[in-house]
Amino acid sequence: MPEFWVSSGHHLTRRDAGGGLVVTDELLLAYLARPELLPPEEACDAERALHAALLREPRRPVAPAEVAALADADARENWQMILAFRDRLLAARSVEAAYLDLVRRGGAGTPPLFLNQLVHLILRNALDGCDDPYTLRAAELFFRSQRASVADGSLLLADAELIDEAQGASRPSPLVAMLGREPVSELDVLTAENAWTYWSRSDAFSMALNLGSDPRSREGLAQAIQAFLRHLLAVEVAVEPLPAIEDPDWRWFVGLDAEGTRIGNALWRGEPVEPAAAERVVALFRLTILDPDRADPRVGDRPVYLLLAMTPDRTVTMKPQNLIAGLPVVSPGDAR
C-alpha cells in the first residue's frame, strides 16, 4: 500500500490495543520543533533554558513561575498555550481522546493550527489502508482550507496556503490577468488518468479537486466523513451526496463550516436566503445513522443533512468538530 501524509506525523506515534494513537515523546518533540516554538534570536535566557529542558524531557512538569520568568509577554502567552495543549494530550488515553476532549469541553486557547494537526493525524490513522486518491484528496478539506474557483463550468478546490503562496510569490502576467485565469489553473486537477500521481505528492497538497462536476470527488468526501465518524465515535453511518434538499420534514442538519451553519440556520428558521448565499453552498450530503439504537430519539430514523459552503471570498474552511458536536447520536462510549 503506498504511503501518504507523512507530514501528519503518524510515524512518530503508534497504535494502542484499541486502535487509537499513543502520545509519544517523539510526537511531543515534533511540536517543540515547530518554528512558532523555537526561541528567536532575541529570546531571553529563561526561554532558551525552558525550551532546552523540554527537548531533553518533553513530559516534564513546568511550574507557572518558569513561564512567568520569560521576559517577553508574547512568549509567555505562547508557552502557556502550548503547555496547556501538551498537558491535555498527556492526560488523554490517546490522540483521538484528546481531540474529543478539546471538542466537547472546549478548546479555547488552543491554536487552530494544532487542532488541524490533530485532525490530520487522526484521519491518517482512520484512513490507513485507503487506496482511493479521491477519498484522500477530499479528506484534505478536514484540516486544510481551500480556495474555490470555477473553470470550464466546474467548481474547483485548491489548497488555500498553496494558492496564497503562489499569489504572493509572483504577480500574474497582463495576459493572465486579462483572461481572468487564477492560480488554480496552474495546478493539476485530480482525474482518473492522473490519480496515481497523488501518492507521490500527497504531502505537497498540490492537486485541485473538481468538487462541482466530478461525482467521485463528492463521494470521496462522503467516504472520509464515514471513516472519521466510525473511527472517533464508533458509529456506522451512510453518507450520500445530494444535488439539493427536497425533504419537507428535515429535522436535523450539521453545518460543516461556519458559512454552512449560518445558511442552514436560516433555512431551518424558514428565513429567506439570498441567492448569493445559496450559491455559496458547495456540497450537500444526506447522512443516515445505520444503528437505530445510536440515533437521538429526536431524529429517529430520519436523515441528517450536511451543508458545506464557501465564504464570500471563496474560502472553504471545514470544521470537522461540528460533526462531533452536532451529530445526533447517543454515545455508549467512544471508539478510541
Side-chain angles (χ1 to χ4, degrees), residues 4 55 77 81 103 107 111 137 146-147 187 233 236 268 284 298-299 315-316 331:
F4 65 96
L55 288 179
E77 183 179 2
M81 285 191 296
V103 170
R137 174 57 185 89
Q146 307 287 307
R147 292 272 188 263
L187 300 178
L233 301 182
E236 292 290 341
W268 181 262
L284 293 169
R298 292 172 293 175
V299 175
T315 300
V316 178
S331 179

Side-chain angles (χ1 to χ4, degrees), residues 137 144-147 157-164 205:
R137 174 57 185 89
R144 293 186 71 89
S145 293
Q146 307 287 307
R147 292 272 188 263
L157 299 183
D159 189 80
E161 183 176 325
L162 201 66
I163 294 297
D164 291 346
F205 308 111

Side-chain angles (χ1 to χ4, degrees), residues 108-136:
T110 302
L113 179 71
F114 290 156
L115 284 178
N116 289 340
Q117 197 279 329
L118 285 184
V119 173
H120 191 185
L121 182 55
I122 290 166
L123 266 176
R124 177 58 183 81
N125 192 23
L127 292 170
D128 191 52
C130 177
D131 61 0
D132 177 30
Y134 281 93
T135 297
L136 299 179

Side-chain angles (χ1 to χ4, degrees), residues 73-159:
D74 289 338
R76 291 195 296 272
E77 183 179 2
N78 288 342
W79 279 103
Q80 287 168 350
M81 285 191 296
I82 186 58
L83 290 170
F85 177 72
R86 181 204 66 166
D87 291 346
R88 291 184 80 164
L89 284 178
L90 291 175
R93 68 179 184 272
S94 65
V95 171
E96 287 85 350
Y99 176 73
L100 288 173
D101 179 68
L102 285 165
V103 170
R104 290 168 172 166
R105 294 179 53 201
T110 302
L113 179 71
F114 290 156
L115 284 178
N116 289 340
Q117 197 279 329
L118 285 184
V119 173
H120 191 185
L121 182 55
I122 290 166
L123 266 176
R124 177 58 183 81
N125 192 23
L127 292 170
D128 191 52
C130 177
D131 61 0
D132 177 30
Y134 281 93
T135 297
L136 299 179
R137 174 57 185 89
E140 292 176 17
L141 273 68
F142 279 69
F143 53 89
R144 293 186 71 89
S145 293
Q146 307 287 307
R147 292 272 188 263
S149 64
V150 177
D152 299 325
S154 296
L155 178 70
L156 304 182
L157 299 183
D159 189 80

